[in-house]
């Protein structure tokens, strides 16, 4: 039976039309479903919340009912609290879970690992609160530096209390011993000498504490003037004459620098005197302490070298800490307070310089101070306090100074 070609063409056309219509309908349904899905997952914060968060001034994270991050500030990413769309730290997720469950705002201070490798810590104050019906808001404030400063202050107070208690207790016991031995002249003299030694140690400790406190409130930029380091070194050597004499140690000052530095002359004398006294304290008798000066590349360098026992790498890392002593028993015997090198570091930093240490066990130690040379226009009033070269500085340059002959 033959089929009419016209009929076949009509049927094929109808089939094609039906397929086209069904395809369009399927595409429209797919697009509608996709838009509906997008509308469902697109997070919407309560009215005004986004504007408030943008000016809150703290790192923030907004999470949904499954702890997915809906929105987070750059600070939250910088602190390492958020990675991708996930809150990194389990402690924060537990806190959001409690707030979601109880509906009560919570505040905590937390110490969290910083970065994916967990190296270093971040101390943050966190406030977690419900935001609308669906979300939880975390506000984070970086308290790391404040916590570090508080820890340093607490350590300082504890160390000062301990260091003050030792000489005060010794003086009290010695006073009782003197009172109980009024007829024993030899014992009274012995106890009196010991009391004088402990009193001197107590006075030195109090003076160092006062000096450290004063330094923290001094603005070198405002109070500074041009300082000639030749004069400062000469003054420091002169003040260290007696302890050098007691151990027959020779102080050798070499070279001369013409470039002044900008700063506080009395503070710089304190730096060099502390370094020289430290070198004398830890040097054997009948040895030499060298003080070298050099100017190059816009820096003035002063080095103080001794012939002592040197320091281990561990001691070198901690030697500038307050109250740290390489040999605590020896330092107390020689009258060291444990604050001298901390004062040195603080003063040098205030002057825009640095202090470094080279040391090897059995080969002595060298402390090196580098200070920027004074630039033209820093001080138009001349060389200022401590700047004139003077005869005293010339007398010390390039000479040996033994306590007994100075």
């Amino acid at each position: 039976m033959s089929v009419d070609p016209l009929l076949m063409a009509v049927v094929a056309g109808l089939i094609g039309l039906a397929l086209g219509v069904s395809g369009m309908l399927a595409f429209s349904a797919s697009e509608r479903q996709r838009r509906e899905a997008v509308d469902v997952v697109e997070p919407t914060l309560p009215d005004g919340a986004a504007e408030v968060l943008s000016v809150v001034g703290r790192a923030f994270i907004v999470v949904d009912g499954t702890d997915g991050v809906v929105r987070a500030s750059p600070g939250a990413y910088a602190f390492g609290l958020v990675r991708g769309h996930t809150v990194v730290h389990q402690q924060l997720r537990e806190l959001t879970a409690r707030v979601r469950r109880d509906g009560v705002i919570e505040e905590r201070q937390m110490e969290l690992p910083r970065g994916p490798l967990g190296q270093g810590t971040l101390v943050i104050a966190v406030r977690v609160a419900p935001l609308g019906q669906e979300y939880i808001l975390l506000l984070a404030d970086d308290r790391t530096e404040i916590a570090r400063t508080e820890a340093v202050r607490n350590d300082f107070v504890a160390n000062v209390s301990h260091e003050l208690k030792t000489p005060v207790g010794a003086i009290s016991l010695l006073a009782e011993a003197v009172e109980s031995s009024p007829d024993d002249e030899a014992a009274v003299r012995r106890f009196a000498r010991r009391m004088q030694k402990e009193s001197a140690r107590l006075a030195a400790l109090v003076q160092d504490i006062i000096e450290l406190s004063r330094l923290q409130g001094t603005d070198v930029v405002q109070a500074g003037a041009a300082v000639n380091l030749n004069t400062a070194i000469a003054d420091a050597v002169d003040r260290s004459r007696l302890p050098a004499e007691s151990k027959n140690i020779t102080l050798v000052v070499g070279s001369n620098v013409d470039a002044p530095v900008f700063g506080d002359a009395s503070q710089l004398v304190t730096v060099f005197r502390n370094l020289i006294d430290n070198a004398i304290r830890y040097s054997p008798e009948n040895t030499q302490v060298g003080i070298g000066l050099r100017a190059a590349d816009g820096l003035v360098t002063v080095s103080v070298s001794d012939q002592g026992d040197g320091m281990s790498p561990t001691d070198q890392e901690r030697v500038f800490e307050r109250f740290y002593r390489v040999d605590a028993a020896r330092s107390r015997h020689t009258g060291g307070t444990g604050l001298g090198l901390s004062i040195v570091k603080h003063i040098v930093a205030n002057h825009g310089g640095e202090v470094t240490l080279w040391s090897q066990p059995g080969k002595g130690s060298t402390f090196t101070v580098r200070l920027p040379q004074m630039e033209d226009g820093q001080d138009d009033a001349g060389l200022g306090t401590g700047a004139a070269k003077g005869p005293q500085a010339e007398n010390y340059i390039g000479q040996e100074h033994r306590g007994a002959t100075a």
Side-chain angles (χ1 to χ4, degrees):
M1 181 180 63
S2 62
V3 179
D4 188 349
L6 179 61
L7 179 62
M8 291 183 62
V10 172
V11 171
L14 291 175
I15 293 173
L17 179 61
L19 290 174
V21 171
S22 62
M24 291 181 62
L25 292 174
F27 177 78
S28 299
S30 175
E31 282 294 300
R32 185 171 58 256
Q33 291 175 355
R34 187 180 66 82
R35 286 195 298 269
E36 291 175 354
V38 169
D39 291 341
V40 169
V41 300
E42 178 66 26
T44 56
L45 299 180
D47 292 341
E51 289 76 7
V52 172
L53 290 175
S54 66
V55 297
V56 75
R58 298 169 70 182
F60 69 84
I61 307 169
V62 179
V63 297
D64 59 20
T66 59
D67 280 342
V69 175
V70 173
R71 193 164 299 184
S73 67
Y77 286 96
F79 291 157
L81 305 179
V82 177
R83 191 175 304 123
H85 295 283
T86 305
V87 177
V88 173
H89 301 92
Q90 179 65 26
Q91 299 97 310
L92 294 178
R93 294 197 296 269
E94 292 174 353
L95 201 56
T96 59
R98 284 201 300 272
V99 172
R100 185 181 295 110
R101 181 192 63 208
D102 302 333
V104 178
I105 296 174
E106 294 212 22
E107 295 188 27
R108 294 284 188 278
Q109 180 159 305
M110 297 181 170
E111 185 172 333
L112 305 173
R114 184 193 292 269
L117 300 179
Q119 296 181 349
T121 57
L122 175 74
V123 179
I124 59 171
V126 183
R127 180 180 175 88
V128 183
L131 181 63
Q133 298 296 320
E134 307 176 60
Y135 304 112
I136 300 294
L137 171 65
L138 294 88
L139 292 175
D141 191 18
D142 185 7
R143 311 281 292 181
T144 306
E145 185 62 24
I146 295 175
R148 188 194 67 80
T149 302
E150 183 70 13
V152 170
R153 186 185 69 82
N154 291 338
D155 288 344
F156 181 71
V157 171
N159 287 329
V160 166
S161 302
H162 174 74
E163 295 293 334
L164 288 174
K165 184 169 64 176
T166 302
V168 169
I171 291 172
S172 178
L173 291 174
L174 290 167
E176 292 178 6
V178 169
E179 185 180 15
S180 63
S181 308
D183 300 327
D184 189 343
E185 294 184 4
V188 169
R189 283 194 295 270
R190 186 171 68 255
F191 293 145
R193 285 194 298 268
R194 182 67 184 277
M195 288 177 68
Q196 289 176 344
K197 183 177 180 179
E198 293 294 338
S199 298
R201 179 184 166 197
L202 180 60
L205 178 60
V206 171
Q207 182 60 40
D208 279 353
I209 294 172
I210 293 173
E211 178 70 15
L212 197 56
S213 177
R214 184 177 70 85
L215 291 173
Q216 293 173 339
T218 300
D219 188 347
V220 173
V221 174
Q222 296 296 329
V227 181
N228 186 306
L229 292 185
N230 303 316
T231 302
I233 294 293
D235 195 358
V237 169
D238 189 58
R239 297 184 189 187
S240 302
R241 182 188 305 165
L242 290 180
E245 178 183 357
S246 67
K247 299 179 70 173
N248 198 32
I249 289 177
T250 304
L251 303 179
V252 179
V253 182
S255 187
N256 189 357
V257 291
D258 296 326
V261 300
F262 186 82
D264 186 296
S266 63
Q267 289 188 20
L268 291 175
V269 170
T270 298
V271 166
F272 303 128
R273 183 185 180 186
N274 282 353
L275 290 177
I276 294 170
D277 283 349
N278 187 73
I280 293 171
R281 184 177 297 116
Y282 289 98
S283 292
E285 295 182 355
N286 307 312
T287 57
Q288 176 177 291
V289 170
I291 303 101
L293 295 89
R294 184 171 65 90
D297 301 325
L299 296 174
V300 180
T301 302
V302 180
S303 59
V304 179
S305 303
D306 63 51
Q307 298 175 352
D309 296 332
M311 284 178 265
S312 68
T314 301
D315 289 329
Q316 292 179 48
E317 291 177 0
R318 302 190 57 192
V319 73
F320 291 104
E321 294 180 11
R322 295 172 181 176
F323 295 108
Y324 182 77
R325 296 182 175 93
V326 175
D327 186 340
R330 181 179 179 184
S331 182
R332 290 192 175 95
H333 177 72
T334 57
T337 63
L339 285 173
L341 293 179
S342 178
I343 290 174
V344 167
K345 184 175 182 180
H346 200 103
I347 293 177
V348 172
N350 282 352
H351 283 73
E354 66 170 0
V355 55
T356 58
L357 167 64
W358 176 92
S359 184
Q360 285 188 2
K363 295 186 178 181
S365 303
T366 298
F367 287 88
T368 302
V369 174
R370 295 180 181 87
L371 298 168
Q373 295 179 14
M374 191 183 75
E375 298 179 1
D376 294 338
Q378 255 186 309
D379 185 1
D380 296 331
L383 291 181
T385 304
K389 187 174 181 180
Q392 185 187 35
E394 292 185 354
N395 289 339
Y396 277 86
I397 299 300
Q399 297 185 18
E400 294 186 359
H401 305 279
R402 194 179 304 275
T405 59

